[in-house]
Amino acid sequence: MISQSAKDGFDTLLRQALRTGLVPADTEAEMSVIDDIAAISEKKMVVLTVSSYLFRLMVMFYFTPDAATKAHFARLNRIAPEEMSDQVFMDAIAECGNLCCGILNRDLGRFFPHLGMSTPNVIDKNCAAYLQTLNVGHLRHLAVDMPQAPRFHITLCVSAYAEMDFAVSEEEADVGTGELELF
């Protein structure tokens, strides 16, 4: 139901959103596909949904609330790790997921009208074992590796309600997020 071109497009747009929202500006990241979620050791995940009349897309950001993960999100938010309380950490990781999915939502809006996006929900990682019950047309697990950060795992899950086919060119994938202009 989802063409290979559309699957590649979802993957490309997700990777671009992750580079913008999860990876600090001065850092290189390597993203690789993993086949088995058994390799994912994190205990929690932030789940966001982008939906249209044609599909439902879920992005899951796996995490463990440990010192290394908190240090990464402190770095992203330009604060000292010791200033990152448990609530500030949860807000930061939810906002990071929200930013990545907002970028994905914006980019998908060039191909699909009438998109909506959920708010971030934090749930247990074990819920991912039930993804196949969602009539999944495309499922992709990614590992994101970058210096001075723990390995992050992301899952993309797309359920289609109709035939889907679109293509993302490299030029479209490299569109920036824009700049805030103050008057």
Side-chain angles (χ1 to χ4, degrees):
M1 210 174 209
I2 303 174
S3 73
Q4 187 58 50
S5 177
K7 290 176 183 180
D8 293 343
F10 283 122
D11 292 349
T12 298
L13 293 176
L14 176 63
R15 286 174 192 255
Q16 184 63 33
L18 291 172
R19 279 188 185 87
T20 303
L22 180 64
V23 179
D26 60 345
T27 305
E28 291 292 320
E30 174 143 348
M31 296 185 200
S32 54
V33 174
I34 58 172
D35 295 323
D36 186 10
I37 64 170
I40 299 174
S41 62
E42 291 89 349
K43 305 294 181 210
K44 299 271 187 198
M45 61 183 176
V46 173
V47 179
L48 287 120
T49 304
V50 175
S51 297
S52 81
Y53 299 116
L54 301 173
F55 66 90
R56 179 183 59 229
L57 173 149
M58 293 190 328
V59 180
M60 286 142 263
F61 297 83
Y62 300 87
F63 70 97
T64 298
D66 58 12
T69 305
K70 286 181 180 182
H72 175 76
F73 285 96
R75 181 176 167 206
L76 275 178
N77 288 285
R78 296 182 182 102
I79 63 172
E82 54 274 3
E83 293 179 37
M84 185 151 282
S85 68
D86 289 342
Q87 185 59 54
V88 171
F89 169 70
M90 294 303 284
D91 291 345
I93 197 160
E95 185 54 34
C96 177
N98 204 34
L99 175 63
C100 291
C101 280
I103 293 166
L104 184 59
N105 186 48
R106 180 205 62 205
D107 292 344
L108 285 169
R110 291 181 292 182
F111 304 99
F112 304 101
H114 314 296
L115 294 174
M117 191 174 96
S118 71
T119 57
N121 292 292
V122 178
I123 61 175
D124 190 90
K125 174 235 180 182
N126 293 327
C127 296
Y130 299 97
L131 289 175
Q132 291 302 331
T133 64
L134 299 175
N135 193 24
V136 175
H138 179 52
L139 186 64
R140 176 74 70 212
H141 307 288
L142 297 174
V144 181
D145 294 298
M146 61 192 114
Q148 302 175 352
R151 172 177 257 196
F152 288 100
H153 292 97
I154 314 296
T155 294
L156 170 68
C157 176
V158 183
S159 299
Y161 308 130
E163 296 290 324
M164 293 188 64
D165 186 31
F166 70 100
V168 177
S169 69
E170 285 301 315
E171 294 80 35
E172 289 171 319
D174 287 336
V175 173
T177 56
E179 295 181 15
L180 183 61
E181 191 173 329
L182 300 175
F183 296 95

